[in-house]
Each structure stands twice: as C-alpha cells, then as structure tokens.
C-alpha cells in the first residue's frame, strides 16, 4: 500500500513489485544447512523403507503332510520385516540366523523335531515309517531354514520341502537307498540323488493257504545286512524232513530277516500278482534289474518299504487274479 500510495503521489503510471522489495522474505532458504540435513534424513528413511519392502516382497512356504495332517510354515512379508538387519553397507537385509530361530520355534511347537523315522518318498511326500528295525532320517532345521532363506534372498516366492538327514548329517536326497512301494508293486533304486532303477516287482502274497503269513512287512526302514550271488533260498522244513521249497537265485540281498531282494524267473511282474500269487515275502525282481541293484548297493544300504500290506481272503485274491487276466498282464 505504501508503494502504491507513493507512486500515485509521484505521478507514476506503473510499478513493478519485484523491484520494490514488498515481498515477505522466507525465513528458511533452500541452502539452509539444517533444512537440507532434515531432507536428506527423511529421504534416506524413505529409501530405506522402500528397500525393506523390496527385500521382503516374497512368500516362502515349508509345506508337507505327515500322517494325514498338513503342516505349513509360511514366511510372509510381515514376518520377514521383523527379521531385518543392516549389512556392512548399512542396507536392510533379512537375517539368516533369525530365519533359523523362527523355524526352530515353529518346529518345536509343531512336534516335528523328535521323529527320526522320517522319509520323503519318490512323490516328494513326507512319511513317518516306524515299523522297521532301523531309524531313518530326521528334520534338519538349519538346512531347511537355509533353503527357505535362499529363496528369500533370491526374491523367489516358492514352496520348499523339508530337508532330512541321517544321524551323520547326510541328506537323504544325496544317498543311495532302495524304495519299495507295495500297492504299486514298484521298486526304485535311488543313487546319489538320481533314479538308477525303476522296476516292477512281485512282493509277498497277501493270500496264502500256508499256515503262516507271506505278505511283505511294510511301512518301515531296514537295511541290507548281507548279500551274495548264486544262492539257494530254502523254505521251512516239513514233516518229512524236506524243504517246503528250494529256489536258486543269482542275486540275494536280505534286509529283514529272511525277507530280501532277489531275481526270479516269472512270466510277469507288477499288477496285482502279489495278492494271489506273490512270493513268500521277498521282493521278486527281473534278473537284469536285480543285477543292477546288486552292483550298486552294499551292506548297510537302507531299504524303505511303504504302502498298505496284509492278508486278504480268497475271494479278494480271486477277484484280483480275474482283473489281471482281463488286463492280459501275462501276454
């Protein structure tokens, strides 16, 4: 107002306020040191939080089912944010140690640490097999947590399986073992993480007219306790002093008393033969596959047998035989 008043009094017809120094000066300018320090701090916080959001933008699930119960441990972004620490460059990263602590607490709460009869089958399913004479593998928290952490570190949302180890800390997936699946009449030789043999077999007969059971014991973990070639298998001694049977085999690998893996000359393998015309309990195997297994196992090699097994009546056995004949398995 003062500038305009003066302009009128002095006869000016225009004024430029920029030159008249009438604007209120800012108390803090853009070169203010304190202001710039605060701006830098706030921007650093924003950048830090963006990085936290980035490194935790992943979901990793430990998933498995055991004894019909589904058990999942899920690392979510919110949980991962509680595991943030700063690295040497003062940048936020997820702590591997905190992942281990978290999974250990979860495993303890869900009672998965004590079971040492665990086994992951050929389908990736976790099983507890307590019926055998040997322990199997147990849950390795550290290595499983590391697998989850590796996925987080690579920002890979994925599902991982538990890592099982034996008493010496060796991973199941890296070892040599034989897997026998009763319902599928299938035997697999796993060697160093690869499938070396996958063969149909005939296991112990579910139906028999003998006065003793002949089905193959299942849902357990055993091991090959000796092995030999050119062996004669002998059955129980009968009343007349003769043996119930004498069978010569090329390869003999017992793992559970008188139950073992051996070659057998049969017209067919697999299907439902084991229900009505199975073995006395052993794992009848095609010669070529029995030879390969023999050459790649040793005393102490684990043998895992799983799947439903037990006696059936004559009617069920006859029905199974009829179905096999209809499917022409002996052709």
């Amino acid at each position: 107002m003062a500038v305009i008043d003066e302009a009128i009094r002095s006869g000016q017809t225009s004024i430029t306020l920029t030159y008249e120094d009438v604007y209120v000066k800012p108390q803090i300018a853009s070169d203010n040191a304190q202001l710039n320090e605060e701006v830098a701090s706030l921007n650093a916080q924003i950048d830090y939080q963006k990085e936290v959001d980035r490194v935790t933008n992943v979901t990793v699930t430990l998933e498995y089912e055991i004894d019909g119960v589904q058990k999942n441990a899920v690392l979510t972004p919110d949980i991962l944010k509680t595991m943030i620490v700063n690295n040497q460059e003062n940048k936020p990263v997820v702590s591997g140690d905190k992942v281990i602590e978290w999974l250990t607490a979860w495993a303890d709460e869900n009672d998965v640490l004590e079971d040492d009869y665990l086994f992951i089958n050929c389908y990736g399913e976790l099983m507890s097999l307590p019926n055998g004479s040997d322990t199997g593998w147990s849950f390795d928290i550290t290595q499983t947590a590391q697998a989850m952490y590796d996925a987080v570190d690579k920002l890979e949302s994925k599902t991982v399986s538990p890592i099982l180890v034996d008493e010496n800390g060796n991973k199941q997936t890296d070892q040599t073992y034989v897997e026998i699946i009763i319902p599928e009449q299938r035997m697999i030789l796993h060697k160093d993480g690869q499938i070396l043999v996958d063969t149909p077999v005939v296991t112990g007969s579910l139906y028999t007219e003998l006065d003793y059971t002949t089905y193959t014991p299942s849902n357990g973990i055993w091991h090959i306790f000796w092995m030999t070639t050119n062996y004669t298998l002998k059955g129980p001694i009968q009343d007349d002093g003769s043996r119930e049977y004498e069978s010569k085999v090329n390869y003999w690998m017992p793992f559970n008393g008188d139950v073992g893996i051996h070659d057998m000359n049969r017209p067919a393998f697999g299907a439902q033969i084991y229900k009505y015309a199975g073995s006395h309990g052993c794992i009848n195997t095609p010669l070529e596959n029995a030879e390969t297994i023999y050459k790649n196992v040793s005393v102490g090699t684990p043998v895992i047998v799983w799947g439903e097994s037990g006696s059936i009546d004559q009617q069920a056995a006859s029905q199974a035989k009829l179905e096999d004949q209809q499917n022409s398995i002996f052709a």
Side-chain angles (χ1 to χ4, degrees):
M1 291 295 294
V3 169
I4 293 172
D5 182 71
E6 177 61 29
I8 293 171
R9 291 177 184 276
S10 61
Q12 297 181 54
T13 58
S14 68
I15 57 174
T16 302
L17 295 181
T18 303
Y19 300 147
E20 299 294 344
D21 194 24
V22 297
Y23 288 104
V24 178
K25 302 294 190 296
Q27 295 181 352
I28 302 176
S30 61
D31 58 354
N32 182 275
Q34 182 178 351
L35 174 64
N36 284 311
E37 185 177 334
E38 292 177 4
V39 169
S41 176
L42 290 172
N43 283 333
Q45 292 178 38
I46 292 173
D47 291 342
Y48 185 88
Q49 189 56 51
K50 286 181 178 179
E51 185 64 10
V52 168
D53 292 341
R54 187 187 72 82
V55 300
T56 60
N57 186 28
V58 60
T59 299
V60 180
T61 303
L62 171 66
E63 180 179 279
Y64 65 89
E65 179 179 321
I66 185 167
D67 298 330
V69 179
Q70 187 76 27
K71 295 188 176 182
N72 296 337
V74 186
L75 272 177
T76 64
D78 286 342
I79 293 175
L80 290 170
K81 283 181 171 63
T82 68
M83 301 177 178
I84 290 293
V85 296
N86 291 339
N87 62 14
Q88 294 180 343
E89 289 78 31
N90 208 35
K91 292 183 178 180
V93 293
V94 176
S95 167
D97 290 339
K98 291 188 177 183
V99 173
I100 294 175
E101 291 174 6
W102 170 83
L103 188 60
T104 301
W106 175 88
D108 185 52
E109 182 179 345
N110 286 273
D111 298 324
V112 299
L113 292 177
E114 301 303 323
D115 197 342
D116 57 359
Y117 293 94
L118 298 178
F119 171 70
I120 296 178
N121 65 26
C122 59
Y123 300 109
E125 301 165 340
L126 185 70
M127 312 182 78
S128 180
L129 304 174
N131 293 344
S133 59
D134 298 342
T135 57
W137 294 267
S138 58
F139 200 127
D140 189 291
I141 292 296
T142 300
Q143 293 193 60
T144 303
Q146 183 63 47
M148 298 185 78
Y149 174 76
D150 288 345
V152 172
D153 190 49
K154 296 175 183 177
L155 297 179
E156 294 179 351
S157 289
K158 62 187 297 187
T159 298
V160 302
S161 298
I163 293 176
L164 304 185
V165 297
D166 62 17
E167 58 184 4
N168 297 315
N170 301 311
K171 291 183 182 179
Q172 176 201 314
T173 51
D174 294 338
Q175 296 180 46
T176 295
Y177 58 91
V178 178
E179 179 178 4
I180 301 167
I181 310 167
I182 296 291
E184 296 182 15
Q185 291 295 279
R186 178 185 180 195
M187 179 165 60
I188 303 171
L189 172 61
H190 302 262
K191 181 166 184 165
D192 303 328
Q194 303 294 323
I195 292 180
L196 193 60
V197 173
D198 190 341
T199 179
V201 294
V202 176
T203 61
S205 186
L206 302 191
Y207 172 74
T208 179
E209 295 180 350
L210 299 172
D211 58 1
Y212 57 88
T213 59
T214 55
Y215 61 83
T216 302
S218 185
N219 294 322
I221 302 169
W222 292 269
H223 71 274
I224 295 173
F225 58 88
W226 71 287
M227 50 195 297
T228 188
T229 57
N230 300 318
Y231 188 73
T232 300
L233 302 173
K234 298 179 180 180
I237 298 177
Q238 303 182 100
D239 293 340
D240 61 1
S242 64
R243 293 283 183 175
E244 184 180 299
Y245 62 85
E246 292 191 20
S247 300
K248 292 184 178 181
V249 297
N250 295 281
Y251 303 99
W252 171 232
M253 295 159 276
F255 60 85
N256 179 11
D258 292 332
V259 175
I261 301 165
H262 63 78
D263 56 284
M264 178 59 65
N265 184 17
R266 279 181 169 271
F269 292 87
Q272 300 184 80
I273 300 170
Y274 76 112
K275 292 182 179 180
Y276 56 87
S279 71
H280 289 82
C282 288
I283 316 303
N284 290 181
T285 309
L287 175 60
E288 182 179 354
N289 291 326
E291 179 181 12
T292 302
I293 291 173
Y294 187 88
K295 291 180 178 179
N296 285 277
V297 299
S298 58
V299 171
T301 295
V303 178
I304 299 91
V305 187
W306 63 271
E308 187 175 353
S309 181
S311 298
I312 61 174
D313 59 26
Q314 185 175 7
Q315 182 178 356
S318 298
Q319 179 63 32
K321 184 176 182 180
L322 177 61
E323 291 174 359
D324 276 358
Q325 289 173 340
Q326 291 173 340
N327 292 326
S328 303
I329 69 163
F330 298 105

